[in-house]
Amino acid sequence: MKPVKIGVLGLGTVGGGTVNVLKRNAKEISRRAGREIIITRASARDLTLDRLCDTQGITLSTYPYDVINDPEIDIILELIGGTDLAKELVLQAIANGKHVVTANKALICLHGNEIFAAANKVNVMIAYEAAVAGGIPIIKAIREGLSGNQINWIAGIINGTGNFILTEMRDKGREFADALREAQALGYAEANPTFDVEGIDAGHKLMILASIAFGIPLQFENVYTEGITKITREDIEYATNLGYSIKHLGIARKTSKGIELRVHPTLIPQRRLIANVDGVMNAVLVHADAVGPTLYYGAGAGSEATASAVVADVVDVARALTLHSKNRVPHLAFQEDAIADLHILPQDEVETAYYLRLMVEDKPGALAQITHIFAEQNISIEAVLQKEAPEEQTILPLIMLTQKTIEREMNAAIAAIENLSSVTGQVTRIRLETLG
Ligand code: HSE
């Protein structure tokens, strides 16, 4: 059979890794794909850079249209990131009849509905395994491996940079900014690291997972995101003492009232496997009705780990080139006409348990005032932790764990507590999930 010809857009961390993997494992890959896969063209912004990949035999250009307009090319690998130029190039590649493999979560999350519709019209495939959790084949697992199930919920550590930072803060007592700098130097962080630490990157990935799990359109505007920048070493220590890890989780859950889509720091019991996923590693826990819980673990970022997913997509596309489009795996797992616009639950209607840290004056009745507010809001307390005060100290941290409550009621309780004269400053609130 004729070789499949590939054009690569972007020779950075992921593009370079992909070239290396495709070249190094060419024989094994063609044994799997049933035909040879060769990169014929690539584009990069600056061709004078010393690259960590071998571009011998590849025609290079600084102009990406040289790649997407080459009539010989079957599959375009979009590995430039960002959403403006990337979207323009992907839509043009589709219009040119090319299949596209991308690692771009922002692009798929924000423009996927439009891109998939354009691709379906001209019967080309868009593959995006590398967009979520780097090298973990989580798209394949949910879209194909679990297709006999109703998926109940997904909880994932899907940003390596954030997980690396939280792990370094806990294990080495490092400052947030210092750990972030190292994640950037190691090539894990986004071009704009705010995306990592504020939960935007995880939100993009969560939205993609939720779409293929529940058959809903991509809609990032309905994902609640909260970052890890306010997590302190003290909170990590208190959580540890209470038997919990703090992880930046993306949670998508189907409830009788609607679908929850949320990214926020979360206390998880240390006994859960996912609570022990550290450093840059990612993990996704999927709870489905027939199989129960399944856990997927691996490198969520990095050059060749991400390339592994890109190349797997290339092989899938190469195998499916001769298939009629109706027999291909649908882009969002469910058939295009079966995607349903289900209700997304606003964050203040979400039900979860909480960890709270309050700075409280050490005087009789202070705790009673606080518990009275909880009783008024129908919030049940699970545990309270307060250490004995050193003589000179009059303001002390009070740590409370609550049972599940509706977020609106917790917001009201927190506002009332912050108004008490015996409470200083703002209440720190971290959601808690048992993931049982
Ligand atoms: N910045 C991302 C992360 C890279 O840290 O997980 C992979 O998407």
Side-chain angles (χ1 to χ4, degrees):
M1 244 200 262
K2 253 182 31 178
V4 176
K5 292 193 177 154
I6 308 289
V8 181
L9 307 177
L11 290 174
T13 306
V14 180
T18 301
V19 171
N20 285 339
V21 173
L22 270 173
K23 285 194 163 193
R24 189 174 72 235
N25 297 340
K27 265 202 186 146
E28 206 71 345
I29 290 167
S30 71
R31 283 178 65 207
R32 290 191 170 109
R35 55 207 287 194
E36 212 186 330
I37 293 174
I38 46 174
I39 306 170
T40 55
R41 277 187 188 269
S43 70
R45 253 186 318 205
D46 184 352
L47 295 178
T48 64
L49 286 180
D50 270 348
R51 304 212 170 267
L52 294 174
C53 66
D54 167 17
T55 54
Q56 218 188 356
I58 303 173
T59 306
L60 297 177
S61 165
T62 52
Y63 188 57
Y65 283 91
D66 286 343
V67 181
I68 59 173
N69 290 335
D70 180 339
E72 292 288 306
I73 287 175
D74 305 291
I75 308 173
I76 296 291
L77 311 190
E78 184 282 299
L79 306 173
I80 61 171
T83 46
D84 296 338
L85 179 61
K87 180 183 174 195
E88 190 184 307
L89 293 170
V90 165
L91 288 176
Q92 189 55 52
I94 293 169
N96 292 355
K98 317 275 188 214
H99 306 278
V100 176
V101 172
T102 177
N104 193 331
K105 52 261 158 152
L107 178 73
I108 294 299
C109 174
L110 302 177
H111 304 294
N113 298 327
E114 182 184 345
I115 289 171
F116 297 146
N120 287 341
K121 266 196 198 139
V122 294
N123 292 331
V124 296
M125 292 170 269
I126 311 295
Y128 54 90
E129 180 65 70
V132 182
I136 307 174
I138 188 64
I139 302 291
K140 187 131 193 127
I142 296 176
R143 214 164 57 163
E144 298 172 55
L146 300 181
S147 58
N149 289 258
Q150 291 199 45
I151 293 178
N152 300 321
W153 53 262
I154 293 175
I157 297 172
I158 42 182
N159 182 269
T161 301
N163 203 40
F164 177 81
I165 293 171
L166 289 176
T167 307
E168 292 287 299
M169 285 172 74
R170 184 197 62 197
D171 292 350
K172 301 184 189 155
R174 286 178 81 176
E175 292 302 334
F176 179 89
D178 176 36
L180 171 60
R181 261 192 304 277
E182 188 178 337
Q184 286 177 291
L186 290 167
Y188 304 146
E190 295 304 298
N192 176 358
T194 314
F195 275 37
D196 294 298
V197 297
E198 294 296 356
I200 312 293
D201 177 74
H204 289 152
K205 294 166 180 168
L206 181 75
M207 185 67 252
I208 296 172
L209 292 179
S211 280
I212 62 170
F214 306 129
I216 54 173
L218 296 152
Q219 46 196 303
F220 182 64
E221 65 283 6
N222 288 326
V223 180
Y224 172 81
T225 55
E226 188 179 302
I228 54 168
T229 53
K230 294 195 186 112
I231 299 292
T232 64
R233 291 204 306 248
E234 289 75 25
D235 289 319
I236 294 175
E237 203 180 307
Y238 292 132
T240 306
N241 288 342
L242 288 161
Y244 293 86
S245 291
I246 299 182
K247 294 291 177 190
H248 202 191
L249 276 198
I251 299 170
R253 192 192 317 257
K254 196 172 190 181
T255 75
S256 55
K257 292 188 218 144
I259 291 175
E260 298 175 6
L261 296 174
R262 49 193 171 105
V263 176
H264 50 68
T266 313
L267 266 76
I268 332 172
Q270 277 156 6
R271 64 181 182 280
R272 300 271 177 244
L273 278 175
I274 195 169
N276 297 286
V277 170
D278 289 333
V280 73
M281 302 308 273
N282 279 199
V284 184
L285 177 57
V286 183
H287 196 281
D289 71 336
V291 71
T294 53
L295 180 66
Y296 308 84
Y297 168 86
S303 176
E304 290 209 359
T306 311
S308 162
V310 172
V311 174
D313 272 350
V314 171
V315 172
D316 266 0
V317 172
R319 284 178 181 144
L321 282 175
T322 51
L323 276 186
H324 189 278
S325 61
K326 293 235 170 321
N327 297 327
R328 291 176 184 153
V329 181
H331 289 119
L332 286 179
F334 291 69
Q335 298 297 332
E336 201 184 4
D337 57 5
I339 299 286
D341 213 351
L342 304 179
H343 176 61
I344 308 296
L345 219 52
Q347 184 59 24
D348 67 356
E349 287 176 33
V350 165
E351 199 182 28
T352 180
Y354 288 87
Y355 158 102
L356 304 172
R357 177 166 54 82
L358 295 66
M359 299 308 289
V360 183
E361 215 177 317
D362 187 17
K363 67 171 191 190
L367 188 57
Q369 286 178 318
I370 294 163
T371 53
H372 177 70
I373 291 172
F374 282 138
E376 272 184 336
Q377 291 298 334
N378 211 16
I379 297 171
S380 186
I381 296 164
E382 180 79 22
V384 179
L385 176 72
Q386 185 172 30
K387 299 240 164 84
E388 218 177 333
E391 284 213 349
E392 67 289 0
Q393 238 168 286
T394 54
I395 308 280
L396 293 170
L398 173 70
I399 314 300
M400 301 180 111
L401 302 186
T402 75
Q403 290 184 358
K404 274 188 177 180
T405 184
I406 305 284
E407 181 132 342
R408 189 185 312 105
E409 284 160 8
M410 180 52 79
N411 290 342
I414 288 176
I417 289 170
E418 286 176 347
N419 264 337
L420 293 173
S421 60
S422 55
V423 172
T424 308
Q426 286 189 322
V427 173
T428 295
R429 157 248 299 268
I430 307 177
R431 295 167 188 88
L432 185 155
E433 292 285 341
T434 55
L435 302 182

